[in-house]
Amino acid sequence: MAGATLRRNLLEALVIAAATTLVAVSVNALRPSGLPLVAHTPYQTLVPCPEPGGPAVAIGPDDPALASSRSFLIDARTGDEYRARHLARAVSVPFDWLDPIPEGTLEELARAIAASRATRVVVYGDGGRPDSGEHLGREISGRGIKNVCFVRGGAPTVLDGAEGGPP
Amino acid sequence: MTWGRTVPWLAVPVRWYLAALFVGASLHKIVEPYAFAVDVATYDILPLWAVNLTAVVLPWLELTAGLMLLAGWRVRTASLLVAGMVAVFLVALLIALGRGLDMSCGCFASQGAEDHPISWLTALRDLTWLALAGFVLAADRGMAGADWLLSKRGRA
């Protein structure tokens, strides 16, 4: 009995769907803004790629984390910029806008962070828009490095009084 | 009033909720078929030849099912249509989520991927609607609707 009712309801649904299709197609044909029933050129759908990387917390240049011995500092600028001037204890990991950090470099970095017994990683970059420090922070965070921060404003805001020359 | 007589009445506001939902969701798609076609294409599930046909027919089907629920006419048939549509939306949504697409579901007007991106909560919402449609299908006896009035007139 219930099966028969359901079959009847399904049949009704099919009839109503067919009638609605007829109405929809007719209205579409009559209206000026109607669509061609078959599209001939693909739609330009703009779906942004999922943002690669993980979370990285923004901190200010005066944040105590920068001076803390429990922070592992990373300079995301180019090697030349790093050699010219950098924060004490900062290691150079130049951010490449085109290529991800090589797996070997990332493993070395992870080992160095573990050996330092740091509880957080602080990255500073060129402070530009976009900021290489922020992007490097998100990249390493997305690839398994925990508790990553980046300095808002980057090197220009943190390098007053920083040491120069090779580490 | 026994529980058996109460449940069909409980289904009435649920039916009206689904009706308002579907009528509301259909209107902007009927008015802006091109925008809805872009939404359909963004899911990247249907072949190109089926995108426009879906964008033209689906909103009218939503409107029809919504109006049938609102009027209480052929309630079970309407709730079957609603359940079928929500099930299709849910599958499309799960495929989009599985692909990691950062997009709006295209369910209602003025939704952008930035403000209303799809998420597992969207899937949960669709599941809830599917459950509500199932409840109406199982429990609603067309109370306070055309079916009910017609059957009363038939008995009188």
Side-chain angles (χ1 to χ4, degrees), chain B residues 2-18:
Chain B
T2 63
W3 179 245
R5 286 184 176 191
T6 309
V7 171
W9 283 102
L10 286 178
V12 173
V14 177
R15 186 218 305 161
W16 287 341
Y17 167 71
L18 287 175

mmCIF file of all heavy atoms in Angstrom, chain B residues 2-18:
data_model
loop_
_atom_site.group_PDB
_atom_site.id
_atom_site.type_symbol
_atom_site.label_atom_id
_atom_site.label_comp_id
_atom_site.label_asym_id
_atom_site.label_seq_id
_atom_site.Cartn_x
_atom_site.Cartn_y
_atom_site.Cartn_z
ATOM 1 N N THR B 2 -4.140 13.053 20.244
ATOM 2 C CA THR B 2 -3.083 12.050 20.421
ATOM 3 C C THR B 2 -1.855 12.448 19.598
ATOM 4 O O THR B 2 -1.916 13.309 18.722
ATOM 5 C CB THR B 2 -3.573 10.677 19.936
ATOM 6 O OG1 THR B 2 -3.851 10.776 18.541
ATOM 7 C CG2 THR B 2 -4.819 10.238 20.686
ATOM 8 N N TRP B 3 -0.750 11.742 19.915
ATOM 9 C CA TRP B 3 0.510 12.026 19.229
ATOM 10 C C TRP B 3 0.356 11.790 17.720
ATOM 11 O O TRP B 3 0.841 12.552 16.893
ATOM 12 C CB TRP B 3 1.602 11.138 19.831
ATOM 13 C CG TRP B 3 2.950 11.334 19.191
ATOM 14 C CD1 TRP B 3 3.649 10.427 18.480
ATOM 15 C CD2 TRP B 3 3.736 12.532 19.196
ATOM 16 N NE1 TRP B 3 4.826 10.970 18.038
ATOM 17 C CE2 TRP B 3 4.910 12.270 18.457
ATOM 18 C CE3 TRP B 3 3.548 13.818 19.735
ATOM 19 C CZ2 TRP B 3 5.901 13.222 18.271
ATOM 20 C CZ3 TRP B 3 4.551 14.765 19.530
ATOM 21 C CH2 TRP B 3 5.697 14.460 18.809
ATOM 22 N N GLY B 4 -0.387 10.720 17.405
ATOM 23 C CA GLY B 4 -0.590 10.400 15.992
ATOM 24 C C GLY B 4 -1.325 11.495 15.245
ATOM 25 O O GLY B 4 -1.143 11.670 14.044
ATOM 26 N N ARG B 5 -2.151 12.237 15.970
ATOM 27 C CA ARG B 5 -2.870 13.330 15.301
ATOM 28 C C ARG B 5 -2.078 14.635 15.354
ATOM 29 O O ARG B 5 -2.343 15.566 14.585
ATOM 30 C CB ARG B 5 -4.229 13.538 15.970
ATOM 31 C CG ARG B 5 -5.207 12.435 15.602
ATOM 32 C CD ARG B 5 -6.548 12.729 16.186
ATOM 33 N NE ARG B 5 -7.539 11.750 15.777
ATOM 34 C CZ ARG B 5 -8.837 11.900 15.982
ATOM 35 N NH1 ARG B 5 -9.296 12.975 16.572
ATOM 36 N NH2 ARG B 5 -9.681 10.964 15.602
ATOM 37 N N THR B 6 -1.140 14.703 16.325
ATOM 38 C CA THR B 6 -0.364 15.936 16.496
ATOM 39 C C THR B 6 0.716 16.064 15.423
ATOM 40 O O THR B 6 0.952 17.157 14.908
ATOM 41 C CB THR B 6 0.295 15.957 17.893
ATOM 42 O OG1 THR B 6 -0.699 15.688 18.865
ATOM 43 C CG2 THR B 6 0.947 17.293 18.175
ATOM 44 N N VAL B 7 1.367 14.918 15.126
ATOM 45 C CA VAL B 7 2.521 14.964 14.215
ATOM 46 C C VAL B 7 2.183 15.597 12.856
ATOM 47 O O VAL B 7 2.932 16.450 12.368
ATOM 48 C CB VAL B 7 3.139 13.546 14.048
ATOM 49 C CG1 VAL B 7 4.192 13.538 12.952
ATOM 50 C CG2 VAL B 7 3.760 13.102 15.364
ATOM 51 N N PRO B 8 1.043 15.232 12.229
ATOM 52 C CA PRO B 8 0.729 15.886 10.946
ATOM 53 C C PRO B 8 0.621 17.399 11.065
ATOM 54 O O PRO B 8 0.979 18.123 10.134
ATOM 55 C CB PRO B 8 -0.614 15.266 10.560
ATOM 56 C CG PRO B 8 -0.623 13.942 11.224
ATOM 57 C CD PRO B 8 0.086 14.155 12.524
ATOM 58 N N TRP B 9 0.156 17.884 12.206
ATOM 59 C CA TRP B 9 0.067 19.335 12.409
ATOM 60 C C TRP B 9 1.456 19.938 12.616
ATOM 61 O O TRP B 9 1.713 21.072 12.194
ATOM 62 C CB TRP B 9 -0.841 19.669 13.596
ATOM 63 C CG TRP B 9 -2.292 19.545 13.234
ATOM 64 C CD1 TRP B 9 -3.132 18.522 13.542
ATOM 65 C CD2 TRP B 9 -3.060 20.465 12.455
ATOM 66 N NE1 TRP B 9 -4.375 18.729 13.011
ATOM 67 C CE2 TRP B 9 -4.367 19.926 12.330
ATOM 68 C CE3 TRP B 9 -2.785 21.682 11.836
ATOM 69 C CZ2 TRP B 9 -5.375 20.572 11.631
ATOM 70 C CZ3 TRP B 9 -3.797 22.320 11.143
ATOM 71 C CH2 TRP B 9 -5.074 21.768 11.040
ATOM 72 N N LEU B 10 2.349 19.158 13.302
ATOM 73 C CA LEU B 10 3.725 19.648 13.488
ATOM 74 C C LEU B 10 4.428 19.805 12.134
ATOM 75 O O LEU B 10 5.316 20.645 11.977
ATOM 76 C CB LEU B 10 4.530 18.665 14.340
ATOM 77 C CG LEU B 10 4.215 18.631 15.836
ATOM 78 C CD1 LEU B 10 5.063 17.573 16.529
ATOM 79 C CD2 LEU B 10 4.466 19.994 16.465
ATOM 80 N N ALA B 11 4.016 18.989 11.197
ATOM 81 C CA ALA B 11 4.663 19.052 9.879
ATOM 82 C C ALA B 11 4.272 20.314 9.103
ATOM 83 O O ALA B 11 4.984 20.694 8.166
ATOM 84 C CB ALA B 11 4.288 17.809 9.073
ATOM 85 N N VAL B 12 3.160 20.952 9.513
ATOM 86 C CA VAL B 12 2.680 22.111 8.746
ATOM 87 C C VAL B 12 3.685 23.272 8.754
ATOM 88 O O VAL B 12 4.062 23.770 7.684
ATOM 89 C CB VAL B 12 1.294 22.566 9.238
ATOM 90 C CG1 VAL B 12 0.874 23.869 8.555
ATOM 91 C CG2 VAL B 12 0.275 21.472 8.962
ATOM 92 N N PRO B 13 4.188 23.723 9.941
ATOM 93 C CA PRO B 13 5.177 24.819 9.891
ATOM 94 C C PRO B 13 6.469 24.412 9.188
ATOM 95 O O PRO B 13 7.103 25.255 8.541
ATOM 96 C CB PRO B 13 5.437 25.146 11.375
ATOM 97 C CG PRO B 13 4.890 24.022 12.157
ATOM 98 C CD PRO B 13 3.813 23.402 11.331
ATOM 99 N N VAL B 14 6.824 23.150 9.299
ATOM 100 C CA VAL B 14 8.028 22.684 8.596
ATOM 101 C C VAL B 14 7.812 22.795 7.090
ATOM 102 O O VAL B 14 8.684 23.233 6.340
ATOM 103 C CB VAL B 14 8.365 21.222 8.989
ATOM 104 C CG1 VAL B 14 9.565 20.721 8.206
ATOM 105 C CG2 VAL B 14 8.621 21.109 10.479
ATOM 106 N N ARG B 15 6.608 22.402 6.674
ATOM 107 C CA ARG B 15 6.273 22.502 5.252
ATOM 108 C C ARG B 15 6.325 23.962 4.788
ATOM 109 O O ARG B 15 6.887 24.273 3.743
ATOM 110 C CB ARG B 15 4.859 21.948 5.033
ATOM 111 C CG ARG B 15 4.475 21.874 3.588
ATOM 112 C CD ARG B 15 3.025 22.224 3.368
ATOM 113 N NE ARG B 15 2.118 21.415 4.158
ATOM 114 C CZ ARG B 15 0.859 21.778 4.398
ATOM 115 N NH1 ARG B 15 0.374 22.903 3.919
ATOM 116 N NH2 ARG B 15 0.071 21.018 5.124
ATOM 117 N N TRP B 16 5.773 24.862 5.607
ATOM 118 C CA TRP B 16 5.783 26.282 5.228
ATOM 119 C C TRP B 16 7.205 26.840 5.189
ATOM 120 O O TRP B 16 7.534 27.665 4.336
ATOM 121 C CB TRP B 16 4.911 27.091 6.199
ATOM 122 C CG TRP B 16 3.448 26.871 5.992
ATOM 123 C CD1 TRP B 16 2.847 26.361 4.873
ATOM 124 C CD2 TRP B 16 2.397 27.139 6.923
ATOM 125 N NE1 TRP B 16 1.488 26.292 5.045
ATOM 126 C CE2 TRP B 16 1.171 26.765 6.296
ATOM 127 C CE3 TRP B 16 2.341 27.656 8.204
ATOM 128 C CZ2 TRP B 16 -0.061 26.891 6.920
ATOM 129 C CZ3 TRP B 16 1.114 27.797 8.833
ATOM 130 C CH2 TRP B 16 -0.080 27.410 8.191
ATOM 131 N N TYR B 17 8.027 26.367 6.121
ATOM 132 C CA TYR B 17 9.432 26.811 6.137
ATOM 133 C C TYR B 17 10.125 26.396 4.832
ATOM 134 O O TYR B 17 10.785 27.213 4.176
ATOM 135 C CB TYR B 17 10.145 26.206 7.347
ATOM 136 C CG TYR B 17 11.656 26.329 7.295
ATOM 137 C CD1 TYR B 17 12.292 27.561 7.462
ATOM 138 C CD2 TYR B 17 12.456 25.206 7.066
ATOM 139 C CE1 TYR B 17 13.674 27.667 7.395
ATOM 140 C CE2 TYR B 17 13.829 25.304 7.004
ATOM 141 C CZ TYR B 17 14.433 26.538 7.163
ATOM 142 O OH TYR B 17 15.797 26.640 7.092
ATOM 143 N N LEU B 18 9.950 25.130 4.462
ATOM 144 C CA LEU B 18 10.575 24.644 3.225
ATOM 145 C C LEU B 18 10.013 25.380 2.009
ATOM 146 O O LEU B 18 10.739 25.689 1.055
ATOM 147 C CB LEU B 18 10.357 23.140 3.064
ATOM 148 C CG LEU B 18 11.176 22.237 3.997
ATOM 149 C CD1 LEU B 18 10.767 20.780 3.809
ATOM 150 C CD2 LEU B 18 12.670 22.390 3.758
#
